[in-house]
Amino acid sequence: MGCVEEQRNELEALESIYPDSFTVLSENPPSFTITVTSEAGENDETVQTTLKFTYSEKYPDKAPLYEIFAQLNLEDNDVADILKLLALQAEENLGMVMIFTLVTAVQEKLNEIVDQIKTRREEETEKEAEEAEKQLFHGTPVTIENFLNWKAKFDAELLEIKKKRMKEEEQAGKNKLSGRQLFETDHNLDTSDIQFLEDAGNNMEVDESLFQEMDDLELEDDDDDPDYNPADRESDLTD
């Protein structure tokens, strides 16, 4: 089977395998693109690359031309790694149609990149947590810059406290009675007490019949009793 026939058969197979991502750019020389997308990673994030292949006249006995036609979410070092991978795979598969093999290798590489992104983010999150814990226990190293920032904040807070205290003292002074006002208040209290006693005295009524009843009471005297004997009293006391 000649090279041209092998190329034609491979193109038909690739179009069937990648119906949504295979695009023919030209027929002479045969050139086409295949878009490769990784599996979804964390937060449904993916990486993607579009590979462009051009058959050489002696392909597959000679490696095809290839390049990164477009890419999504890939770093420069990722692109370099993909190009190295393509070169290695092309060298290992000389003499056989190899586009499917090359695309499959790139697919696996993209999945690895997604996993690396996830691992890198987890490490960064862990590192941030460690730094936060270290700051909690050891505090922030004092520098001139952060000291001046702290000093400015402290002075501003202190000024607000002083303003609030002065305002409270000023308000308290407005509500405070003067010495003369206190004296007049106390004098009015004395006058009101005296007035109360006078009003009470004027309204007091004395029941004179109580004293008359006391005069009518007869108090008995033991000395007036003809039968009284002091000796009998003493006898009763000794008993």
Side-chain angles (χ1 to χ4, degrees), residues 176-188:
K176 186 176 180 181
L177 296 176
S178 65
R180 181 179 180 85
Q181 289 173 324
L182 289 172
F183 173 78
E184 291 176 350
T185 301
D186 290 341
H187 178 69
N188 291 334

Side-chain angles (χ1 to χ4, degrees), residues 110-126:
L110 294 183
N111 292 339
E112 290 178 7
I113 292 172
V114 170
D115 291 338
Q116 290 171 0
I117 292 174
K118 179 181 179 181
T119 301
R120 187 162 56 245
R121 286 180 177 174
E122 289 176 349
E123 291 175 351
E124 291 174 355
T125 301
E126 184 177 352

Side-chain angles (χ1 to χ4, degrees), residues 104-151:
T104 300
V106 172
Q107 175 79 64
E108 293 175 354
K109 181 63 177 178
L110 294 183
N111 292 339
E112 290 178 7
I113 292 172
V114 170
D115 291 338
Q116 290 171 0
I117 292 174
K118 179 181 179 181
T119 301
R120 187 162 56 245
R121 286 180 177 174
E122 289 176 349
E123 291 175 351
E124 291 174 355
T125 301
E126 184 177 352
K127 185 177 180 180
E128 289 175 358
E130 290 176 355
E131 288 295 329
E133 184 177 0
K134 187 183 297 183
Q135 292 291 339
L136 180 63
F137 287 101
H138 300 287
T140 303
V142 178
T143 63
I144 295 177
E145 182 179 1
N146 59 30
F147 172 77
L148 292 177
N149 291 335
W150 171 86
K151 181 73 166 51

Side-chain angles (χ1 to χ4, degrees), residues 86 94 97 102 115 133 156 167 175 208 238:
L86 288 170
L94 284 176
V97 291
L102 299 182
D115 291 338
E133 184 177 0
K167 186 175 181 180
N175 297 330
E208 296 180 358
T238 57

Side-chain angles (χ1 to χ4, degrees), residues 21-33:
S21 60
F22 177 84
T23 302
V24 175
L25 299 179
S26 67
E27 294 183 356
N28 190 21
S31 181
F32 54 91
T33 61

